[in-house]
Amino acid sequence: MVRGTNLNDDRSDGARLLAEAVRTARNSYGYSQDDIAERGGPSRDRMWAIENATLDRYDTKLLRRLENALWWRAGSIESIIRGGAPILREDRPRIGESTPQQETEPEELATGFVNFKDLTEESATQLLHAIGTVLGRDNFLRLAHRVYDALGAET
């Protein structure tokens, strides 16, 4: 990709294709725009502009950070703007799975939940894994912490 490519000027179709692919990938992992920024990607404001094909300047550094935050290999964005698909990294989490550094978190949270409800630790863990599969890792963790805090306030 040419350094500092302005997709809105010469490839408006490319900017729209990129917007759709980024939004789809982000949602498939259950990531918010803030989550992408926390993973080293563009800021929430830039993510909004990318997903709405309104960003003024798409520089190479920003695009590489975006690829990394979405678990794409370098060169994926070039593929997308040419009408192709992103190239997924092998180390990416599968849809509904926790990222590697968070794999034990549901079990740890289940231990806290069992004190407030008549659930066994095993059934609480199964329930949390099912919810995590539906919501995605980051949304699940936000919800679990809010529930845990709310249940703690009731005791």
Side-chain angles (χ1 to χ4, degrees):
M1 171 169 283
V2 177
R3 184 175 210 170
T5 298
N6 187 333
L7 294 172
N8 286 323
D9 283 348
D10 59 354
R11 296 185 194 170
S12 59
D13 288 338
R16 284 192 297 273
L17 290 169
L18 179 60
E20 184 178 328
V22 167
R23 190 177 319 103
T24 299
R26 181 179 60 77
N27 288 333
S28 73
Y29 288 115
Y31 289 159
S32 68
Q33 292 173 342
D34 285 326
D35 294 330
I36 296 297
E38 288 173 18
R39 287 192 35 75
S43 69
R44 178 178 41 154
D45 291 341
R46 284 191 171 196
M47 283 299 299
W48 185 92
I50 290 167
E51 291 183 5
N52 288 281
T54 61
L55 189 66
D56 290 336
R57 195 97 174 130
Y58 295 82
D59 64 61
T60 303
K61 183 178 177 182
L62 173 106
L63 296 177
R64 294 299 169 249
R65 289 177 31 224
L66 177 60
E67 286 173 331
N68 189 52
L70 291 172
W71 303 93
W72 292 347
R73 288 188 182 177
S76 290
I77 290 175
E78 288 87 346
S79 173
I80 291 166
I81 63 176
R82 288 191 310 266
I87 307 155
L88 304 176
R89 290 185 359 214
E90 292 299 318
D91 64 338
R92 76 188 184 285
R94 303 304 186 245
I95 303 306
E97 285 184 2
S98 299
T99 54
Q101 66 271 22
Q102 295 292 331
E103 286 180 2
T104 60
E105 183 111 11
E107 288 81 6
E108 293 169 11
L109 290 172
T111 303
F113 285 124
V114 77
N115 296 324
F116 300 104
K117 298 292 178 192
D118 292 328
L119 293 173
T120 65
E121 188 172 339
E122 181 181 353
S123 63
T125 299
Q126 290 172 350
L127 175 63
L128 291 172
H129 277 290
I131 292 169
T133 298
V134 172
L135 295 179
R137 178 191 148 266
D138 292 327
N139 289 330
F140 163 76
L141 291 175
R142 275 193 211 94
L143 174 64
H145 286 289
R146 288 178 63 192
V147 169
Y148 185 82
D149 290 344
L151 291 172
E154 292 176 9
T155 60

